[in-house]
Amino acid sequence: MSLQTNFIHHGNCVEILADVIPAEVIDLVFADPPYNLSGNALKWEENQTGGPWFMVNESWDCMEYPDFVDFTKRWLELCFHVLKPGGSIYVSCSYHNLGEILTTLKGIGFGVNNVITWYKTNAMPNMTRRTFTHSTEFVVWAVKGRGWCFNYDVLRDINPEKQKNGQSKQMRDLWSIPLVQGKERLRAETGRALHPTQKPEELLRRIILASSNTNDIVLDPFLGTGTTSYVAQKLGRRWIGIEKEAKYVKLAQDRMNSDEKELYDCVPDVVP
């Protein structure tokens, strides 16, 4: 079966992973799956610290719990199937679904290397005033077998944290990165975000540099507005995206066809 890269598949990720992507051809998977948090319409239109705030309330993010568990197991099994031996998967999650992700990964046969804590430096204030402010999400890094790629020196060089003498420092599993803002945030004419869970490019930059090399294939089964493909292309990787919602497919395609192809200023001169 031939494999088309630098291409966005419009459809259900389970079907496309099963029917279109061959076994053991993918070097790296990044997945930002549904957290299954929808079902209400909380909003804060008068927010003064970052514009109107709307809680995620999408049909694709609302399942009965047994269905959510089954779906999680199925797409992760298929990612294991398409990953090369030694390939990596990074799964974005919150405390709501971290347990399910970890349990399922281990049950399938993945080895969990790290649980990265993403500290959102500009997290939204707590509306209810009944809990601590939620300012973190997680990214689980798991691998298929041994011999995984980890570009330690590259990560050390791009690490914004430095030793006291200014020298490079090992990158830790706590990443301080703001929520998407400014020109990076894709917005409608009304000013409202076009996708409720758009991930920062910096998050994907670190992941792709960490666990892939030039010309490797990066797969995102929940592509959304195309952050993974956009960053992968900037870094000289091939990519495959899968997205169920037609409106997001169009946004991602427009993003990939834009003229802005410059690499980040802080990307090393020699990209692995």
Side-chain angles (χ1 to χ4, degrees):
M1 182 185 296
S2 62
L3 179 65
Q4 185 174 10
T5 59
N6 299 351
F7 182 78
I8 302 172
H9 296 273
H10 177 205
N12 185 296
C13 71
V14 168
E15 296 174 358
I16 292 170
L17 286 169
D19 300 335
V20 179
I21 311 298
E24 299 189 345
V25 296
I26 303 299
D27 298 283
L28 170 63
V29 174
F30 172 78
D32 184 15
Y35 291 6
N36 207 36
L37 297 179
S38 292
N40 60 61
L42 287 176
K43 58 184 178 180
W44 189 0
E45 297 187 78
E46 296 78 24
N47 173 49
Q48 300 299 313
T49 61
W53 176 88
F54 301 85
M55 187 170 181
V56 178
N57 192 34
E58 304 285 344
S59 59
W60 47 262
D61 189 52
C62 188
M63 308 177 211
E64 295 295 329
Y65 184 71
D67 296 333
F68 175 68
V69 172
D70 289 344
F71 173 67
T72 299
K73 184 173 185 292
R74 185 58 179 146
W75 72 261
L76 282 172
E77 285 176 336
L78 289 166
C79 284
F80 188 91
H81 177 71
V82 302
L83 269 175
K84 293 178 180 178
S88 289
I89 183 170
Y90 287 75
V91 185
S92 181
C93 55
S94 73
Y95 76 90
H96 302 88
N97 62 330
L98 175 61
E100 288 85 350
I101 294 296
L102 286 171
T103 301
T104 305
L105 284 168
K106 292 177 181 179
I108 291 170
F110 281 105
V112 176
N113 278 2
N114 282 106
V115 178
I116 299 163
T117 299
W118 168 27
Y119 169 52
K120 297 177 281 189
T121 56
N122 58 343
M124 293 304 302
N126 191 325
M127 289 177 59
T128 65
R129 302 183 181 181
R130 299 181 62 193
T131 64
F132 296 103
T133 299
H134 296 295
S135 61
T136 59
E137 290 188 30
F138 306 100
V139 182
V140 179
W141 173 32
V143 293
K144 179 179 178 179
R146 299 180 181 273
W148 61 82
C149 171
F150 185 65
N151 293 311
Y152 168 87
D153 290 332
V154 174
L155 291 174
R156 186 185 60 190
D157 290 343
I158 69 169
N159 188 359
E161 298 180 11
K162 303 297 180 184
Q163 298 184 40
K164 290 183 178 180
N165 62 4
Q167 291 184 345
S168 298
K169 184 177 181 179
Q170 292 182 349
M171 185 172 285
R172 299 183 294 179
D173 59 2
L174 174 63
W175 296 356
S176 297
I177 302 172
L179 289 166
V180 181
Q181 55 190 345
K183 293 182 179 179
E184 187 179 329
R185 171 64 77 174
L186 303 182
R187 297 185 182 275
E189 293 181 0
T190 61
R192 183 168 178 175
L194 288 171
H195 193 287
T197 63
Q198 182 182 340
K199 292 297 183 285
E201 292 179 22
E202 175 62 17
L203 187 75
L204 271 300
R205 184 174 76 101
R206 295 186 189 187
I207 290 169
I208 292 170
L209 285 174
S211 294
S212 69
N213 295 309
T214 300
N215 211 39
D216 279 355
I217 302 176
V218 180
L219 167 70
D220 188 333
F222 306 95
L223 186 64
T225 57
T227 301
T228 301
S229 55
Y230 188 67
V231 176
Q233 184 159 295
K234 283 185 175 183
L235 296 176
R237 275 63 167 170
R238 292 176 290 166
W239 55 268
I240 299 171
I242 306 172
E243 175 52 48
K244 184 178 180 181
E245 302 292 323
K247 60 182 178 180
Y248 298 142
V249 172
K250 176 64 165 58
L251 287 170
Q253 288 174 335
D254 289 345
R255 194 173 182 184
M256 297 309 301
N257 292 332
S258 70
D259 292 330
E260 185 183 356
K261 301 299 182 187
E262 300 88 353
L263 290 173
Y264 297 85
D265 292 337
C266 50
V267 168
D269 290 336
V270 179
V271 178

